């Protein structure tokens, strides 16, 4: 290189590049070069090797030009490299005034530390300058500067919004740059280690959790894009597979560790938590990481939609596996149902201080659990289409919610009907247990009509549906005096009429005509049911006679025949009469519904 007509007297090797230079300009400013020449045995040494110059040949060339007095331009892209090279070459004030180290430090203080975007840009260049960038505390100083400036920016933004709110004429058509814009674009290019350190610093300085959530979402989108293994079985066993899964797992676990504090009102979107959980399961993340995500989703389950909980199951090479991971969803719903007990233990507040009653439909807790019940019913209807789903797993989810979680059972009935239609080979015991989860008193008139004619349901349930519909009709004919028979309010179980209007909007004559029409419809349903029972009874009698020949001690068939005989006798009625008083036979249910408890 030499910038002189005098021939060079020293050759410096930096990697694969050689620089012919003069000794005096470098010795006058670089302590490293001076020591190497003094320590050399040969006083006329003409070649030295510098294999570890930070920034390589590019950095040394700029440093050498500076030694020759050339005015080099310090920029955001080279300041970190020059600062580390100045430290390596010992270009300090001890050897020359306003040396390269001094010049770079002035630039860092004035142009880098004071600006967040510049700091992130320089920090990104430090990734290739380790460990010297750490030794001179350049990395830690930049990270602390980012954290301090971010919190100042947050405070300034809050004050400006406050001024606009109280201003006589608020400023319009001015949209200041939001933190999510510049944080997302700038921090996404950092490596995982630097990103973790920056996020930890801004959290300790008090940056808002919603801003931290936006930063994490943007970083996850950029860092995981292109490396997510959607189906590990496609490339199982390859080196690429193990490397991708390892990188994916490390990023997921780091992001989960940086999430804001777990809370029911967390700023982390449910869709983002769901995506993290799906990726964590596919990437075989640690048990602690998956458990953390499951708890976060359980805390915010009332904010979820169906897509958030449709988690694919790991196949492990099995072609007959179920499509969805129901065990994970069972744990998430159980976490949500156990929240109230955990809160009572933590808060230890008196019941007199509670503003809302949990069982009230207007209670925040009850409102949340009603949302979750609808979500679960939709989920059950979706997974019911999976022919490989085991009935025991479906029943476990159907039995999960407590009785007060559902005002109406139409959604659950729809899911059960779909499951029965897809799984035709279910055991009778499993079919009966599944149908027990449906509370027939909470079925709408349309659902009751469908259930009464549904051949997939057990006969006991169909009879129970007709029984409750008959009681409901008799209560309506009596003017609603026995409306509390079902333990519900008018808002939960309104009186239905063919016109769709409320009972207070029609005259008594019209109301009576509507009741008579419904009475006729019910009579037809009872007649159809009677015919079905008669056919079933004949079939079972013939089956009994055939099986008794081979097994005379078949007690189960005898018991079933007796029950069917009683059911047939029950429906040998000619007309449905309004009740003037409550009969003893109506004071109890034909088939007592087994009490189900919530998972605790």
């Amino acid at each position: 290189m030499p910038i002189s007509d005098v021939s060079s007297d020293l050759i410096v090797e930096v990697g694969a590049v050689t620089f012919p230079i003069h000794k005096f300009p470098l010795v006058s400013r670089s302590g490293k070069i001076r020591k190497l020449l003094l320590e050399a045995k040969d006083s006329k040494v003409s070649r030295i090797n510098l294999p570890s110059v930070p920034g390589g040949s590019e950095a040394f060339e700029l440093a050498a030009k500076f030694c020759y007095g050339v005015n080099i331009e310090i920029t955001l892209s080279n300041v970190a490299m020059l600062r580390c090279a100045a430290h390596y070459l010992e270009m300090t004030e001890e050897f020359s005034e306003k040396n390269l180290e001094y010049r770079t430090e002035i630039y860092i203080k004035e142009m880098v530390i004071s600006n967040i975007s510049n700091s992130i840009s320089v920090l990104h260049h430090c990734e290739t300058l380790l460990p010297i960038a750490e030794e001179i505390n350049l990395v830690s100083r930049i990270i602390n500067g980012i954290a301090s400036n971010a919190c100042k920016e947050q405070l300034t933004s809050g004050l400006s919004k406050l001024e606009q709110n109280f201003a006589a004429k608020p400023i319009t058509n001015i949209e200041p740059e939001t933190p999510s814009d510049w944080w997302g674009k700038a921090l996404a290019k950092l490596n995982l280690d630097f990103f973790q350190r920056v996020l930890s610093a801004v959290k300790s300085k008090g940056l808002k959790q919603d801003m931290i959530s936006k930063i994490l979402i943007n970083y996850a989108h950029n860092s995981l894009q292109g490396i997510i293994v959607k189906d590990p079985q496609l490339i199982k066993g390859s080196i690429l597979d193990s490397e991708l899964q390892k990188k994916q797992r490390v990023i997921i676990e780091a992001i989960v560790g940086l999430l804001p504090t777990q809370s029911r009102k967390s700023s982390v979107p449910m869709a983002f938590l769901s995506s993290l959980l799906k990726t964590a399961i596919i990437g075989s993340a640690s048990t602690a990481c998956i458990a953390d995500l499951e708890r976060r989703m359980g805390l915010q389950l009332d904010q979820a939609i169906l897509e958030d909980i449709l988690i694919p199951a790991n196949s492990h090479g099995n072609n007959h596996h179920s499509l969805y991971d129901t065990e994970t969803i069972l744990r998430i719903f159980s976490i949500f149902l156990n929240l109230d007990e955990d809160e009572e233990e933590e808060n230890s507040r008196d019941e007199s201080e509670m503003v809302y009653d949990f069982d009230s439909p207007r209670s925040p807790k009850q409102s949340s659990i009603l949302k979750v019940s609808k979500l679960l019913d939709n989920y059950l209807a979706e997974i019911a289409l999976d022919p490989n789903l085991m009935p025991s797993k479906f029943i476990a989810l159907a039995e999960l919610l407590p009785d007060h979680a559902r005002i109406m059972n139409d959604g659950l009935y729809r899911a059960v009907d779909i499951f029965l239609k897809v799984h035709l080979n279910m055991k009778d015991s499993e079919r009966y247990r599944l149908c027990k989860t449906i509370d027939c008193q909470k079925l709408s008139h349309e659902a009751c009509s469908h259930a009464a004619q549904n051949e997939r349901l057990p006969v006991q349930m169909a009879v129970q549906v007709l029984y409750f519909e008959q009681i409901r009709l008799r209560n309506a004919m009596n003017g609603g005096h026995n409306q509390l028979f079902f333990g519900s309010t008018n808002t939960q179980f309104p009186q239905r009429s063919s016109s769709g209007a409320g009972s207070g909007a029609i005259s008594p004559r019209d109301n009576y005509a509507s009741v008579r029409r419904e009475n006729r419809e019910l009579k037809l349903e009872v007649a159809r049911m009677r015919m079905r029972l008669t056919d079933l009874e004949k079939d079972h009698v013939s089956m009994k006679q055939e099986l008794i020949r081979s097994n005379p001690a078949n007690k189960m068939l005898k018991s079933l025949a007796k029950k069917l005989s009683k059911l047939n006798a029950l429906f040998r009625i000619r007309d449905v009469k309004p009740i003037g008083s409550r009969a003893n036979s109506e004071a109890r249910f034909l088939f007592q519904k087994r009490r189900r408890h919530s998972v605790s």
Side-chain angles (χ1 to χ4, degrees):
M1 173 188 79
I3 310 176
S4 173
D5 295 333
V6 181
S7 61
S8 62
D9 54 359
L10 180 65
I11 294 177
V12 179
E13 296 179 354
V14 181
V17 182
T18 58
F19 295 92
I21 57 177
H22 303 89
K23 293 180 181 179
F24 178 75
L26 267 69
V27 169
S28 63
R29 288 183 179 271
S30 172
K32 178 83 171 178
I33 301 294
R34 181 179 298 186
K35 288 179 182 179
L36 289 176
L37 293 177
L38 291 175
E39 292 173 357
K41 297 180 180 179
D42 186 2
S43 59
K44 296 183 180 180
V45 62
S46 60
R47 181 180 292 269
I48 58 176
N49 186 17
L50 299 176
S52 304
V53 178
S57 59
E58 180 184 359
F60 181 80
E61 182 178 358
L62 291 174
K65 288 182 178 180
F66 180 82
C67 293
Y68 277 96
V70 178
N71 186 20
I72 62 175
E73 182 182 4
I74 300 177
T75 64
L76 293 175
S77 59
N78 65 21
V79 64
M81 176 180 65
L82 290 175
R83 177 64 184 87
C84 293
H87 174 78
Y88 176 82
L89 296 172
E90 299 178 19
M91 300 177 68
T92 63
E93 296 299 291
E94 179 182 353
F95 301 99
S96 176
E97 185 179 356
K98 294 184 179 181
N99 212 339
L100 183 60
E101 183 181 87
Y102 173 82
R103 290 278 306 276
T104 53
E105 279 294 333
I106 292 297
Y107 185 89
I108 290 172
K109 291 178 182 179
E110 294 181 354
M111 303 298 297
V112 178
I113 301 297
S114 60
N115 185 279
I116 298 179
S117 299
N118 294 348
S119 297
I120 296 175
S121 177
V122 174
L123 184 62
H124 176 56
H125 287 94
C126 289
E127 295 173 359
T128 59
L129 300 172
L130 300 176
I132 292 183
E134 294 281 9
E135 293 175 3
I136 62 178
N137 293 325
L138 179 60
V139 173
S140 58
R141 283 188 294 161
I142 293 176
I143 291 176
N144 291 333
I146 292 173
S148 300
N149 289 326
C151 294
K152 290 179 183 178
E153 183 76 20
Q154 175 180 272
L155 181 60
T156 303
S157 177
L159 291 175
S160 63
K161 290 181 180 178
L162 188 63
E163 291 176 356
Q164 290 181 12
N165 291 337
F166 285 95
K169 295 183 179 179
I171 301 175
T172 57
N173 299 327
I174 297 179
E175 296 182 359
E177 187 181 30
T178 60
S180 60
D181 294 334
W182 47 265
W183 273 108
K185 295 178 182 178
L187 286 179
K189 60 186 177 183
L190 295 179
N191 64 22
L192 185 60
D193 178 55
F194 282 1
F195 179 78
Q196 286 181 282
R197 292 172 63 178
V198 170
L199 260 289
S200 299
V202 296
K203 287 174 69 175
S204 64
K205 292 286 186 179
L207 190 69
K208 292 181 180 180
Q209 291 191 356
D210 58 339
M211 296 301 174
I212 294 176
S213 299
K214 293 178 181 179
I215 296 170
L216 287 171
I217 293 171
N218 191 56
Y219 186 83
H221 175 74
N222 287 274
S223 59
L224 292 174
Q225 190 176 16
I227 69 168
I228 294 180
V229 182
K230 295 183 178 180
D231 189 357
Q233 299 303 322
L234 296 178
I235 51 175
K236 191 67 178 176
S238 65
I239 299 177
L240 179 63
D241 171 51
S242 60
E243 292 179 353
L244 286 178
Q245 281 200 353
K246 182 179 179 180
K247 185 176 181 180
Q248 180 176 304
R249 181 170 59 251
V250 169
I251 294 175
I252 287 293
E253 292 177 356
I255 291 175
V256 172
L258 293 171
L259 289 173
T261 308
Q262 294 182 0
S263 171
R264 299 187 73 167
K265 297 181 179 179
S266 175
S267 57
V268 183
M270 190 67 177
F272 179 58
L273 293 176
S274 175
S275 299
L276 287 179
L277 180 58
K278 294 173 185 177
T279 309
I281 293 174
I282 294 175
S284 302
S286 64
T287 304
C289 174
I290 293 177
D292 184 278
L293 289 171
E294 288 178 356
R295 176 158 182 80
R296 290 179 181 274
M297 290 186 65
L299 290 171
Q300 303 174 225
L301 191 57
D302 56 337
Q303 305 172 19
I305 60 175
L306 180 60
E307 293 180 1
D308 297 333
I309 60 174
L310 289 177
I311 300 177
N314 278 334
S315 62
H316 302 292
N318 185 6
N319 295 327
H320 299 286
H321 71 284
S322 53
L323 296 176
Y324 301 106
D325 187 352
T326 57
E327 295 179 357
T328 297
I329 298 303
L330 183 64
R331 290 193 296 268
I332 292 174
F333 275 86
S334 299
I335 290 171
F336 174 83
L337 294 174
N338 293 330
L339 288 179
D340 301 299
E341 297 178 2
D342 296 340
E343 288 181 355
E344 289 177 2
E345 293 178 0
E346 293 177 2
N347 298 333
S348 300
R349 295 190 299 177
D350 296 334
E351 293 183 0
S352 58
E353 297 178 0
M354 299 300 292
V355 179
Y356 294 98
D357 177 17
F358 181 80
D359 292 330
S360 171
R362 298 181 181 179
S363 160
K365 295 180 181 178
Q366 182 68 3
S367 175
S368 296
I369 203 170
L370 289 177
K371 293 179 182 177
V372 170
S373 68
K374 293 180 181 178
L375 177 66
L376 181 58
D377 291 344
N378 292 334
Y379 179 75
L380 289 171
E382 184 68 26
I383 65 174
L385 297 169
D386 181 10
N388 296 322
L389 179 62
M390 297 176 59
S392 59
K393 294 185 177 181
F394 188 86
I395 293 173
L397 285 168
E399 293 178 340
L400 186 60
L401 295 183
D403 293 336
H404 67 268
R406 294 182 176 94
I407 294 180
M408 299 296 290
N409 272 198
D410 288 16
L412 179 60
Y413 169 73
R414 172 175 170 268
V416 170
D417 184 48
I418 295 173
F419 190 83
L420 294 177
K421 186 183 299 183
V422 175
H423 301 77
L424 299 176
N425 297 323
M426 280 183 64
K427 298 179 181 179
D428 290 339
S429 58
E430 293 175 335
R431 187 186 304 270
Y432 182 77
R433 182 183 172 188
L434 178 59
C435 292
K436 274 289 190 181
T437 61
I438 303 173
D439 187 351
C440 297
Q441 301 179 70
K442 294 183 178 181
L443 292 177
S444 65
H445 177 70
E446 293 76 12
C448 286
S449 300
H450 186 277
Q453 304 175 50
N454 193 342
E455 297 181 355
R456 290 180 290 273
L457 300 179
V459 177
Q460 296 94 326
M461 181 180 176
V463 174
Q464 191 176 7
V465 168
L466 290 175
Y467 174 75
F468 286 128
E469 273 295 284
Q470 184 179 13
I471 296 300
R472 184 183 300 176
L473 178 60
R474 290 182 176 181
N475 289 336
M477 292 175 65
N478 284 345
H481 297 296
N482 297 325
Q483 187 69 17
L484 296 178
F485 178 85
F486 295 103
S488 62
T489 61
N490 291 334
T491 56
Q492 293 175 339
F493 297 98
Q495 297 180 359
R496 296 176 177 85
S497 63
S498 59
S499 63
S503 60
I506 57 178
S507 65
R509 179 180 298 178
D510 293 337
N511 189 23
Y512 179 71
S514 174
V515 169
R516 289 188 61 185
R517 283 194 297 271
E518 292 185 2
N519 192 11
R520 286 195 298 271
E521 293 176 1
L522 185 57
K523 285 181 181 180
L524 293 175
E525 292 176 3
V526 171
R528 285 194 295 266
M529 193 64 203
R530 186 189 307 157
M531 295 177 62
R532 284 183 57 197
L533 287 175
T534 302
D535 295 338
L536 286 173
E537 187 178 23
K538 292 179 181 179
D539 294 339
H540 280 281
V541 168
S542 61
M543 292 172 60
K544 174 184 174 184
Q545 292 175 353
E546 292 177 1
L547 294 176
I548 283 180
R549 296 190 186 96
S550 59
N551 187 9
N554 198 330
K555 296 181 180 181
M556 183 179 69
L557 287 175
K558 290 181 180 181
S559 175
L560 180 61
K562 290 181 181 179
K563 291 182 179 179
L564 287 173
S565 298
K566 293 180 180 180
L567 290 175
N568 193 29
L570 176 65
F571 283 95
R572 298 187 184 281
I573 56 177
R574 296 182 177 180
D575 196 2
V576 179
K577 300 179 180 180
I579 60 172
S581 60
R582 184 175 301 175
N584 292 332
S585 61
E586 297 172 355
R588 59 186 179 86
F589 296 155
L590 294 179
F591 297 92
Q592 185 65 29
K593 188 175 185 294
R594 180 164 56 86
R595 183 177 180 85
R596 294 183 284 110
H597 301 276
S598 61
V599 177
S600 58

